[in-house]
Amino acid sequence: MFLTIKRFAQNDDGAVTVDWVVLTAAIVGLAIAIIGTVSKGALDQSAGIGANIAAKTSLVP
C-alpha cells in the first residue's frame, strides 16, 4: 500500500503540461490585450495616410 502511494506521489508526468497550459493562456491573453490597445491607433494612422494620399492624387492634373 505504501509503495503505491509513494509511486503516485513521485509521478509528475502531467505537471509540466499544466504549466504549459497556464503559460500559453497568459501569452494569448496578453496578445489580445495588446491588439485591443494598438488597433485604434493603427486604424487612425491608416485613415490619416489614406486621406493624405487621396489629397495628393487629387492635385495631379
Side-chain angles (χ1 to χ4, degrees):
M1 178 71 172
F2 288 116
L3 183 60
T4 305
I5 294 173
K6 186 176 179 181
R7 283 184 189 162
F8 178 76
Q10 290 176 346
N11 187 3
D12 60 355
D13 288 340
V16 176
T17 304
V18 173
D19 292 341
W20 276 105
V21 168
V22 171
L23 218 90
T24 304
I27 291 171
V28 169
L30 187 61
I32 290 172
I34 289 171
I35 289 171
T37 303
V38 172
S39 65
K40 184 176 181 341
L43 290 174
D44 291 345
Q45 287 294 324
S46 64
I49 291 170
N52 192 2
I53 291 172
K56 290 188 188 249
T57 56
S58 65
L59 296 176
V60 176

